[in-house]
Every structure is written in C-alpha cells, then in structure tokens.
Amino acid sequence: MKEPAFKPLAEATDGYVLQVHSLERPKDINAPFILCDPIAARRAVEQAGKINVPFRVALPTYGYLLAFDKTGHFVGLSAEGPQKSWPEGVQVREVRADPTEMASLVQSFATNRPPALRGIIWYRFPTIVDNFNWHWPTLGAIVASRSPRESLRAETRLIEAGLVEINLVNDGELDLSSRLVVEVRWSRNGGARLVASDGLHGFTMLNAGTSSITFQNQSQPGRFAASDRQTIGWLRFDRDCEVQLEVKKF
C-alpha cells in the first residue's frame, strides 16, 4: 500500500484481501519472532480504509517450527504436514499466532472499523492432522468476538481397587504449552500406602513421600490442545483411599 500505484489498482477492482500476517527470515535464534503485530495490523486496516475500496483482512491461526544450527543461524522451518527430520545439534523454536491478541483485534473491528472493511478471512481452518494450527474451540470463540477462555483441571479415575489414574483435562478454548505440575495428596489416617506409581506422556514423578507425590512435565512441554484429555500417571495403593489433586502452571 506504500506504492503510489496501489490506490488506482485497488480502485480498478471490486475488492481485495489485505494480508497482515507473515514471517520474515530470522537472523538468528535470539531474534524476536511474530506472525502478526496487532498494532501494525490495525494501522494497515486504517490505511486501507482511506482508499475506500471494499476489502477483507486476512488474519493468522497457524504457527511454524523454526530450526537453527549449533551457531544459532537459521536453517529452515516446518509447519503442517509430516515433521522434518533435522540434523543432529539443531535447535528449534516455535512461533504461533497469538489467540488473545487476535481476539482483541477482532473485537476492535467489531466496534471501530472503516466502512470499507467488509469481513475477516482466517488462514487457515483447523484440521485434525495440523498440529501447528489453532483448534476449533479457539477459532470459534474469536469468531464470536470474545477472548478464548482458559480452563485446566486434574481429575482421578478409579481403574480398580487401589489403582488410581491421574488425568489432565483442558476444558477451555486455548491450547496450553506451560510447564505444569500436578500435586497429588492422600490421607495417611486411612492407613493407605503407595506401593507403585509412574508418569506418562512426558510427565515424570518428583518428591514422592508417604502422603504426596508430584507429577511434572518435561522442560520442553508439548502443546496441550483445547478440549483435550490426557493421562499423565497412575498410583497403586495397598487399599482404596481418597486422592486430592492440585494443578499449577509455571
């Protein structure tokens, strides 16, 4: 839009799409990565509105995995599709569209937008096989002009007498990638004794005691999708007992 020829070109059409998301080639692993700057996007929409030709704005829902060599220089990226097999020593970082920022941007368009802005195009729609994209609960909340809700809880499931399964439930509308700790406690008054336990799906056991144990995910956690449920461990007691759970993010 900075080019003088853009305005007469736009005026010769019935409308156009204004794309406000992209990823520039990073210089090194410490460079800041962003797919869509909401301030710059808002500025571009206002500039497009002055041309007074109908347009729609394209916003991102996706992410990339960026790879850097041992010296920190950029070597490649991957997105949807099969995971790439990177050479030994490669470091990876993620960059994703921020749902909270995009929700605020959409809400601002709902209350204050140029008349020429006729709608929003999302790139791209969620699919089951695309791990670098938002999930439907996230996109659905933003399309409804509200910020996606975050909600995470832990619950137990009794498999059989004395065997307890620990589950994490993301019943919110946001994917989570935080370091997570689940503290498990049980009363010693009933005489129950922990005889075996194990962590699952990237969670390990820490601080096992006579009445408590902690499950914690790895230092490089995976993404816990909205509306997903995951078994993170199990406990075997010598008798039935009541178990209490507490989830913490850090």
Side-chain angles (χ1 to χ4, degrees):
M1 286 190 296
K2 296 179 181 179
E3 297 295 330
F6 180 77
K7 185 174 185 293
L9 176 64
E11 290 174 338
T13 71
D14 295 328
Y16 62 95
V17 175
L18 174 65
Q19 180 175 320
V20 293
H21 58 88
S22 65
L23 180 65
E24 297 182 3
R25 181 187 178 94
K27 295 180 180 179
D28 56 57
I29 196 169
N30 296 314
F33 311 134
I34 187 168
L35 283 172
C36 181
D37 180 347
I39 297 177
R42 181 75 204 186
R43 190 182 304 122
V45 166
E46 292 173 353
Q47 184 179 352
K50 295 177 181 178
I51 300 175
N52 203 29
V53 173
F55 72 97
R56 291 178 289 173
V57 61
L59 299 179
T61 66
Y62 62 93
Y64 287 124
L65 192 66
L66 309 177
F68 302 84
D69 63 19
K70 295 179 181 179
T71 63
H73 291 97
F74 176 75
V75 295
L77 60 81
S78 64
E80 77 275 21
Q83 286 276 20
K84 287 188 177 181
S85 179
W86 302 109
E88 185 178 353
V90 163
Q91 309 171 72
V92 294
R93 286 185 59 185
E94 283 189 7
V95 56
R96 292 179 182 260
D98 188 312
T100 303
E101 290 182 348
M102 293 303 99
S104 296
L105 191 59
V106 169
Q107 290 169 27
S108 72
F109 292 154
T111 57
N112 181 22
R113 67 177 185 273
L117 176 57
R118 302 298 170 84
I120 296 172
I121 292 177
W122 292 101
Y123 182 78
R124 50 196 181 262
F125 274 5
T127 65
I128 296 175
V129 297
D130 190 351
N131 294 322
F132 287 91
N133 201 11
W134 295 346
H135 292 82
W136 279 112
T138 306
L139 182 58
I142 296 175
V143 169
S145 294
R146 58 183 177 82
S147 296
R149 174 179 51 85
E150 180 178 316
S151 179
L152 178 67
R153 59 186 172 86
E155 64 181 25
T156 60
R157 186 168 77 95
L158 184 63
I159 306 299
E160 60 183 52
L163 179 58
V164 178
E165 185 180 84
I166 309 299
N167 294 302
L168 271 179
V169 181
N170 182 355
D171 52 6
E173 298 163 330
L174 280 174
D175 291 359
L176 299 175
S177 57
S178 304
R179 295 279 302 280
L180 300 173
V181 168
V182 179
E183 295 182 356
V184 186
R185 302 183 184 89
W186 59 92
S187 175
R188 289 183 295 176
N189 296 333
R193 181 173 62 89
L194 182 66
V195 295
S197 59
D198 198 6
L200 302 170
H201 296 111
F203 279 78
T204 56
M205 299 179 302
L206 300 172
N207 307 322
T210 57
S211 61
S212 66
I213 193 171
T214 298
F215 291 92
Q216 179 177 309
N217 59 356
Q218 300 169 348
S219 58
Q220 297 293 331
R223 186 161 293 264
F224 189 23
S227 300
D228 200 4
R229 173 187 296 267
Q230 190 174 88
T231 302
I232 66 167
W234 55 267
L235 306 172
R236 168 73 76 175
F237 297 94
D238 61 354
R239 67 185 67 183
D240 283 340
C241 67
E242 183 179 350
V243 173
Q244 296 179 334
L245 306 176
E246 182 179 1
V247 183
K248 298 180 180 178
K249 295 195 309 179
F250 67 100

